[in-house]
C-alpha cells in the first residue's frame, strides 16, 4: 500500500515535530494522528452487561486520565447495555468516548443492536476473528455499519488470533523458497499484510481513509518494534501501540515502557495503551498512570507535576524524605483536576524532595520548587528553593504542611492566568 492516499486530507505544516505523518481520525471528538498529542487509552475488565459496574469503571479510568475507553461487546447482554452505560456516564458528567471491542459476532451484534452501534465512538475489528468461511462478508458488514453511523474503526491484528488462512499461505510460500525466512519474520509479515489488506478492503467498501486506525499487538518487545517499524513504512494510517498480554506488575510496566519508548522515540505511534494484568482487587487505573508517565518521561506530553526524589543511601537512614515525597506526589495528583482549570501550564512544574546535602541543594535549585531535607547527623534544617533561589529554611514537625503551603502559593502566583 502506498505511503500516502491520493484523496486523503494529509496535514502539512501542522504535524508535531518528529512524528510520522498521518491523517487525523476523529474518535468521538478526540483527535488521533500526527497533528495531535499522543492519546492515552484503556479498557474495562467489568462485565459490560453490568451497566452500573462498567460505567463506574469507565468513569474511574476517565478521571485517571484515559482519553478513550474500550469495552468488550461480546453478547446480547453487553450490546443492550452499551446505551445505558453511555446514559449513566452522561449523568456522571463523564464524556469520554467509548470504543466497542468486537470478536467473532461483531457483524451480527452491530446489525441487531443499532442503538449500540450509534452510541459507540469507534469499532475495534480483529480481522482474525470475523469468521474463516465468510471472512470478507462479515468484515464488510461491520464496515458498512461504521459508514452508516459515521464511525471510525480500528483494525486490530493480534498474533494470538491471526488470520490462519493468510498465515498458512505465507508459511507455505516461504517454505518453498530456496532460502526460507525465519518463521518469526513470516509471522510479522502476516500481521502486517492482514492489517493492510483489511484496511484496503474497508476503503474499497467506502470507509474514508481518515476513518481508519491500525494496531498489531504482540507480547514481546522486539516483535512489537519490528512489526510497527514495518507498518509505519508501508502506510500512513495512525497507529495504536501497546504490548498485548504485557503481564503483571513490574514485568508488565517495564516491558510496555521499553517497547513504547523505542517506537515513540522514532515518531511512531498516535495512541497508546499499557495492558497491565491487575493484581486481584487491584486498581485498573494503574495502566493509565503508567501510560501517562511514559509520555511525560519522554517529554511528549505533560499530565501532572513531577517529583524528583533521591533513592536514599546510608546518609539518609530516616524514611522521612521518602514519606514526604510520596505525600507531595499524591497531593499534586489530587490537586491536578482543580489546578488544571485554574493554572495552565502547572502540569510542567518540577518539584524536588531530596534527603541530604550531597545532591539535595543542587537538585532543589534545578527544580521549580524544591526542598533539601537533613540526612543522618546533619543539621536539622530544610532549605526551600524557589526558581533556583533560597526562599526559606524550615524546621520542626510542621515541615510538610509548611512546604505544601509554600507550594500552593507558588502555583497560584506563577501559573495564574493573570500572570
Amino acid at each position: 500500500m502506498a505511503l500516502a492516499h491520493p484523496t486523503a486530507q494529509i496535514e502539512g505544516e501542522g504535524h508535531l515535530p518528529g512524528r510520522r505523518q498521518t491523517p487525523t481520525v476523529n474518535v468521538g471528538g478526540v483527535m488521533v494522528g500526527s497533528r495531535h498529542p499522543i492519546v492515552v487509552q484503556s479498557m474495562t475488565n467489568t462485565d459490560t452487561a453490568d451497566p452500573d459496574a462498567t460505567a463506574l469503571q469507565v468513569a474511574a479510568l476517565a478521571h485517571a486520565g484515559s482519553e478513550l475507553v474500550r469495552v468488550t461487546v461480546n453478547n446480547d447482554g453487553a450490546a443492550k447495555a452499551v446505551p445505558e452505560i453511555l446514559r449513566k456516564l452522561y449523568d456522571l458528567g463523564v464524556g469520554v468516548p467509548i470504543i466497542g471491542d468486537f470478536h467473532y459476532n461483531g457483524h451480527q451484534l452491530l446489525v441487531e443492536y443499532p442503538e449500540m452501534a450509534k452510541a459507540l465512538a469507534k469499532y475495534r475489528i480483529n480481522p482474525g476473528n470475523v469468521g474463516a468461511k465468510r471472512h470478507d462478508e462479515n468484515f464488510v458488514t461491520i464496515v458498512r455499519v461504521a459508514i452508516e453511523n459515521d464511525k471510525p474503526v480500528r483494525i486490530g491484528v493480534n498474533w494470538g488470533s491471526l488470520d490462519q488462512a493468510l498465515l498458512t499461505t505465507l508459511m507455505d510460500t516461504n517454505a518453498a523458497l530456496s532460502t526460507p525466512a525465519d518463521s518469526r519474520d513470516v509471522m510479522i509479515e502476516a500481521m502486517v499484510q492482514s492489517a493492510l489488506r483489511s484496511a484496503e478492503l474497508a476503503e474499497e467498501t467506502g470507509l474514508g481513509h481518515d476513518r481508519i486506525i491500525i494496531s498489531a499487538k504482540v507480547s514481546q518487545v522486539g516483535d512489537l518494534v519490528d512489526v510497527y517499524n514495518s507498518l509505519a513504512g508501508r502506510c500512513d494510517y495512525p497507529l495504536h501501540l501497546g504490548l498485548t498480554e504485557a503481564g503483571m506488575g513490574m514485568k508488565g510496566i517495564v516491558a510496555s515502557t521499553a517497547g513504547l519508548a523505542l517506537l515513540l522515540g522514532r515518531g511512531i505511534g498516535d495512541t497508546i495503551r499499557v495492558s497491565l494484568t491487575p493484581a486481584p482487587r487491584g486498581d485498573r487505573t494503574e495502566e493509565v498512570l503508567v501510560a501517562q508517565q511514559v509520555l511525560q518521561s519522554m517529554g511528549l506530553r505533560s499530565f501532572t507535576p513531577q517529583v524528583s526524589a533521591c533513592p536514599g543511601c546510608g546518609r539518609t537512614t530516616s524514611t522521612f524524605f521518602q514519606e514526604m515525597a510520596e505525600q507531595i506526589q499524591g497531593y499534586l495528583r489530587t490537586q491536578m483536576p482543580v489546578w488544571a482549570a485554574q493554572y495552565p501550564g502547572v502540569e510542567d512544574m518540577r518539584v524536588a524532595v531530596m534527603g541530604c546535602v550531597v545532591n539535595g541543594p543542587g537538585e532543589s535549585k534545578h527544580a521549580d520548587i524544591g526542598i533539601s531535607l537533613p540526612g543522618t547527623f546533619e543539621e536539622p534544617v530544610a532549605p526551600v528553593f524557589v526558581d533556583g533561589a533560597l526562599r526559606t529554611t524550615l524546621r520542626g514537625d510542621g515541615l510538610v504542611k509548611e512546604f505544601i503551603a509554600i507550594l500552593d502559593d507558588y502555583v497560584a502566583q506563577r501559573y495564574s492566568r493573570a500572570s
Side-chain angles (χ1 to χ4, degrees):
M1 184 173 289
L3 284 177
H5 192 276
T7 61
Q9 182 178 357
I10 308 296
E11 297 89 345
E13 298 297 323
H15 289 283
L16 297 177
R19 290 276 292 281
R20 162 184 167 270
Q21 293 194 7
T22 76
T24 292
V25 179
N26 185 338
V27 183
V30 174
M31 302 301 175
V32 176
S34 61
R35 193 169 183 169
H36 308 278
I38 296 164
V39 174
V40 172
Q41 61 177 280
S42 58
M43 185 176 184
T44 60
N45 61 358
T46 56
D47 179 2
T48 309
D50 183 343
D52 289 324
T54 303
L56 287 175
Q57 190 173 81
V58 170
L61 291 166
H63 287 311
S66 185
E67 294 155 306
L68 298 171
V69 178
R70 183 159 46 111
V71 302
T72 294
V73 186
N74 58 332
N75 54 38
D76 294 324
K80 291 177 183 177
V82 167
E84 179 64 18
I85 292 168
L86 270 292
R87 285 190 285 270
K88 289 180 179 295
L89 290 171
Y90 178 83
D91 292 340
L92 292 170
V94 177
V96 64
I98 305 299
I99 300 163
D101 192 61
F102 296 98
H103 299 272
Y104 308 111
N105 58 355
H107 58 288
Q108 297 171 333
L109 295 175
L110 284 164
V111 171
E112 293 172 5
Y113 296 93
E115 190 178 357
M116 175 268 293
K118 183 178 180 180
L120 293 169
K122 184 176 72 174
Y123 311 151
R124 184 275 174 114
I125 317 171
N126 183 340
N129 288 340
V130 295
K133 293 182 179 179
R134 306 177 72 175
H135 178 282
D136 286 5
E137 179 183 342
N138 294 342
F139 182 86
V140 165
T141 296
I142 298 174
V143 171
R144 284 177 176 158
V145 175
I147 294 169
E148 291 168 4
N149 288 280
D150 193 23
K151 306 294 182 180
V153 302
R154 169 158 71 94
I155 296 171
V157 180
N158 191 303
W159 76 340
S161 52
L162 189 55
D163 184 336
Q164 290 303 301
L166 173 61
L167 179 60
T168 299
T169 298
L170 292 181
M171 285 291 188
D172 290 345
T173 301
N174 180 64
L177 298 175
S178 57
T179 307
D182 185 85
S183 60
R184 169 189 177 273
D185 296 333
V186 179
M187 173 80 77
I188 289 175
E189 177 62 20
M191 294 186 69
V192 172
Q193 286 197 26
S194 177
L196 296 183
R197 288 182 180 184
S198 298
E200 186 173 9
L201 179 56
E203 290 197 49
E204 290 174 354
T205 304
L207 190 66
H209 186 72
D210 61 350
R211 304 301 276 161
I212 298 172
I213 296 171
I214 286 180
S215 68
K217 296 291 194 71
V218 295
S219 58
Q220 300 298 319
V221 171
D223 297 333
L224 183 81
V225 173
D226 287 347
V227 73
Y228 275 99
N229 275 335
S230 182
L231 271 174
R234 292 162 67 174
C235 72
D236 69 343
Y237 299 109
L239 299 178
H240 169 67
L241 306 185
L243 285 174
T244 187
E245 295 96 31
M248 296 185 69
M250 184 66 68
K251 186 267 181 185
I253 293 172
V254 172
S256 293
T257 301
L260 291 173
L262 286 168
L263 290 167
L264 293 171
R266 299 174 185 178
I268 298 171
D270 304 286
T271 80
I272 66 171
R273 182 191 173 204
V274 175
S275 300
L276 297 180
T277 303
R281 297 172 297 281
D283 189 349
R284 189 68 166 179
T285 62
E286 181 184 16
E287 67 175 46
V288 179
L289 304 182
V290 173
Q292 289 181 329
Q293 192 61 58
V294 169
L295 294 176
Q296 187 146 353
S297 296
M298 296 186 68
L300 297 172
R301 289 189 66 180
S302 294
F303 298 94
T304 189
Q306 298 291 284
V307 175
S308 298
C310 65
C313 66
R315 305 178 67 94
T316 57
T317 53
S318 170
T319 60
F320 179 72
F321 83 94
Q322 299 166 334
E323 294 164 356
M324 184 173 182
E326 183 178 44
Q327 286 179 305
I328 292 171
Q329 183 70 73
Y331 179 76
L332 293 172
R333 188 166 290 280
T334 300
Q335 287 295 106
M336 267 308 295
V338 177
W339 284 350
Q342 298 180 351
Y343 305 120
V346 69
E347 64 274 8
D348 294 315
M349 181 174 64
R350 294 167 298 132
V351 181
V353 181
M354 305 303 294
C356 78
V357 297
V358 174
N359 293 317
E363 287 283 354
S364 297
K365 289 177 183 178
H366 289 306
D368 295 309
I369 179 170
I371 184 169
S372 180
L373 300 168
T376 305
F377 306 124
E378 293 177 2
E379 185 181 356
V381 296
V384 175
F385 295 85
V386 174
D387 292 330
L390 179 64
R391 166 68 66 85
T392 187
T393 300
L394 304 179
R395 298 176 175 83
D397 296 336
L399 189 148
V400 175
K401 186 176 180 180
E402 291 179 58
F403 181 73
I404 287 178
I406 295 171
L407 178 63
D408 281 332
D409 182 64
Y410 178 77
V411 169
Q413 290 188 35
R414 176 170 176 178
Y415 297 101
S416 67
R417 294 184 186 279
S419 298

